[in-house]
Amino acid sequence: MTDQRFVHAQWSSRLAFILAASGSAIGLGNIWKFPYLTGENGGGAFVLVYLLCVAAIGVPIMMAETLLGRRGRQSPINTMLSLAETAKASRLWQYTGWMGVLSSFLILSYYSVIAGWAMAYILKMNSPMFAQISPETALRFFDEFRTDPQIQVIWHSLFMIATIAIVSRGVSAGLEKGTRYLMPALLVMLIVLVGYAIGSEGFGQGVAFLFLPDFSKLSGESVLTAMGQAFFSLGLGMGSIMVYGSYLPRHVSIARSTILVAAADTAVALLAGLAIFPIVFSNHLEPGMGPGLIFQTLPIAFGAMPGGAFFGSLFFVLVFFAALTSSIALIEPTVAWLTENRGLSRGAASAWSGLVCWGLGLGSLLSFSSWSEVTFFGKNLFELLDFLTADIMLPAGGLLVAVFAGWVLNRKDTEEELEMAEPRSYEAWRFLVRYAAPTGMGIIFLKALGGI
Ligand code: TRP
């Protein structure tokens, strides 16, 4: 397997890596998932744990994953195998790569359903009923939409087709160039929304909800969710960043680039929170209303704004693009593996993996309506897939990456690859991946699963 290497491309610059990695990191995880999880898990304390997880676990593991990619210079499964062979470690390490492929697949299946919602809202924002929409109407409207599987199947299919179309051509120059403008545009739109929120009466309450921790609201499962969300949002634990690292030129500083990506990702999540919670409180809505949160609150803000139909549609267009740049990163490991190791053409590999993801996504889609009563361990199919991937598989993948980079690879190799100017920064990184991240994650896992 090891001799089937990539014809290995490289990023043209550090900026290209940062943009691509931010494109994969910034997605529905920031705009849709972070606010609703924060709402469900009681606010400030959850946000604080999330920030801690990003800084103390996320960033070091992101560095480790990038480093492994650049050292191995192949697809994740082959990189893990060849690095393990060089280090005379077990061949079983390649299964870290396998688990990554499986998680990306499961995530994309439900990711596409939610991205479909965002696409539907691009058009819906233009309907006259959204002008000056009342909170009650916005809620009812979303409920009707959510429980109408036929409409959602159309959007879910369209999103999957868009993903397949792009991936089958290879990540086209068009999309890369597009991202360069669309991502900053998304940022500007979020800032406009935050501007609107600042003027609303619930602003103080929203800020307090986000930033004043109330630890009585934090359960073991909330802490696990915060950690899972850090992995999900940064796009860690399944080899995406490893692939991107494998294209990274030698001279680029891994530490500085990954810290920038993590900072951008976190900033977008916090801005989304700052835009949404003031609207929630101004309209006396419930912060814990779940996955529908942004679809039920943002239309109220746009409805009250001059030019709201236009800005509302534009906002969801940008969310759609943010989702698309992430969905490409999610399907790429499977497509890369099918083309490298199974000899499929890129077109066929994309179409097959897209089709299977699409089929799996139907289960999540129906779990918002007719299958909402079909539960496993008290979770419907969407919740179960989300829990299995984000809360279990991604952190487990990240843990394996940390152990591999901290304990299996020798010190000289990682030191050489990270090439940090400050010896103390290297020591800090090594401490975090060897001890702090594995212990922290171990405790969170045990606490959530065993209830200690
Ligand atoms: N980070 C993306 C988001 O926040 C989703 C994503 C892209 C992802 N690539 C990933 C999640 C890899 C986990 C792993 O929307």
Side-chain angles (χ1 to χ4, degrees):
M1 213 190 267
T2 19
D3 47 22
Q4 287 173 313
R5 307 208 165 182
F6 268 82
V7 179
H8 233 82
Q10 285 209 349
W11 301 112
S12 52
S13 65
R14 183 170 97 111
L15 185 67
F17 168 76
I18 292 175
L19 285 175
S22 312
S24 126
I26 298 173
L28 296 176
N30 309 60
I31 300 159
W32 159 73
K33 202 171 177 196
F34 173 78
Y36 99 75
L37 288 181
T38 301
E40 280 183 341
N41 289 281
F46 176 85
V47 174
L48 192 67
V49 176
Y50 170 75
L51 294 176
L52 265 175
C53 287
V54 168
I57 302 180
V59 170
I61 290 181
M62 198 170 188
M63 286 169 64
E65 210 174 311
T66 315
L67 167 168
L68 295 183
R70 187 160 79 180
R71 211 120 194 116
R73 294 229 183 267
Q74 294 163 66
S75 68
I77 296 170
N78 294 346
T79 284
M80 290 305 288
L81 187 61
S82 80
L83 289 178
E85 278 172 349
T86 318
K88 306 217 168 19
S90 162
R91 289 172 64 89
L92 290 177
W93 281 104
Q94 66 176 303
Y95 290 101
T96 312
W98 279 108
M99 193 170 69
V101 169
L102 183 64
S103 349
S104 64
F105 217 73
L106 297 178
I107 291 176
L108 184 56
S109 73
Y110 69 80
Y111 203 83
S112 167
V113 175
I114 312 295
W117 291 359
M119 284 171 88
Y121 266 66
I122 297 174
L123 296 187
K124 294 192 188 301
M125 290 309 295
N126 274 308
S127 92
M129 86 184 252
F130 270 97
Q132 306 294 338
I133 194 168
S134 69
E136 296 73 34
T137 321
L139 298 197
R140 198 179 33 139
F141 188 85
F142 176 76
D143 269 337
E144 277 164 18
F145 172 68
R146 190 195 59 174
T147 47
D148 185 347
Q150 272 133 2
I151 300 286
Q152 290 182 66
V153 168
I154 296 175
W155 293 109
H156 167 53
S157 313
L158 284 177
F159 184 78
M160 211 46 115
I161 290 169
T163 304
I164 296 172
I166 292 165
V167 172
S168 63
R169 293 202 173 87
V171 177
S172 70
L175 192 90
E176 263 174 40
K177 268 205 206 103
T179 321
R180 230 166 253 210
Y181 300 102
L182 292 165
M183 285 296 174
L186 180 69
L187 197 65
V188 171
M189 279 303 293
L190 274 176
I191 292 171
V192 170
L193 280 173
V194 174
Y196 169 82
I198 289 177
S200 71
E201 56 173 307
F203 186 66
Q205 220 181 331
V207 172
F209 181 76
L210 262 181
F211 295 113
L212 284 185
D214 172 359
F215 289 99
S216 66
K217 294 201 179 129
L218 206 64
S219 65
E221 187 156 350
S222 301
V223 179
L224 182 68
T225 305
M227 182 176 72
Q229 171 61 10
F231 277 87
F232 184 90
S233 189
L234 295 171
L236 297 179
M238 45 151 275
S240 274
I241 293 290
M242 209 184 282
V243 174
Y244 285 2
S246 74
Y247 304 140
L248 196 62
R250 272 260 23 151
H251 62 271
V252 172
S253 157
I254 290 181
R256 255 181 283 157
S257 327
T258 48
I259 289 172
L260 257 169
V261 173
D265 186 67
T266 308
V268 172
L270 291 177
L271 281 175
L274 274 177
I276 286 157
F277 288 109
I279 304 174
V280 169
F281 292 112
S282 304
N283 295 289
H284 311 288
L285 299 171
E286 172 52 46
M289 63 179 125
L293 183 65
I294 68 164
F295 300 97
Q296 289 162 307
T297 53
L298 291 180
I300 304 174
F302 287 120
M305 247 180 234
F310 173 76
F311 285 119
S313 300
L314 181 65
F315 177 80
F316 284 106
V317 168
L318 297 170
V319 173
F320 162 62
F321 274 98
L324 201 55
T325 54
S326 298
S327 70
I328 289 161
L330 283 165
I331 204 171
E332 182 64 26
T334 311
V335 172
W337 183 79
L338 285 172
T339 49
E340 261 182 64
N341 293 36
R342 285 287 168 265
L344 257 66
S345 72
R346 237 192 125 76
S350 317
W352 278 112
S353 16
L355 193 67
V356 176
C357 264
W358 177 84
L360 207 60
L362 293 180
S364 296
L365 192 153
L366 289 173
S367 71
F368 291 102
S369 48
S370 39
W371 287 8
S372 61
E373 301 305 319
V374 183
T375 56
F376 314 83
F377 310 108
K379 295 182 191 304
N380 67 32
L381 197 60
F382 160 75
E383 290 162 343
L384 183 75
L385 277 180
D386 182 33
F387 177 75
L388 265 184
T389 50
D391 294 7
I392 307 286
M393 293 168 76
L394 298 183
L399 185 63
L400 290 171
V401 164
V403 170
F404 191 79
W407 295 91
V408 177
L409 289 188
N410 64 41
R411 185 189 166 101
K412 197 177 95 312
D413 287 350
T414 50
E415 206 164 6
E416 184 184 296
E417 203 62 52
L418 287 179
E419 229 175 19
M420 291 170 139
E422 253 305 312
R424 260 179 309 175
S425 321
Y426 176 77
E427 292 306 331
W429 173 79
R430 195 166 160 83
F431 172 78
L432 288 170
V433 293
R434 275 170 79 98
Y435 301 103
T439 320
M441 289 161 77
I443 294 174
I444 297 173
F445 265 133
L446 290 178
K447 198 168 162 53
L449 299 177
I452 52 168

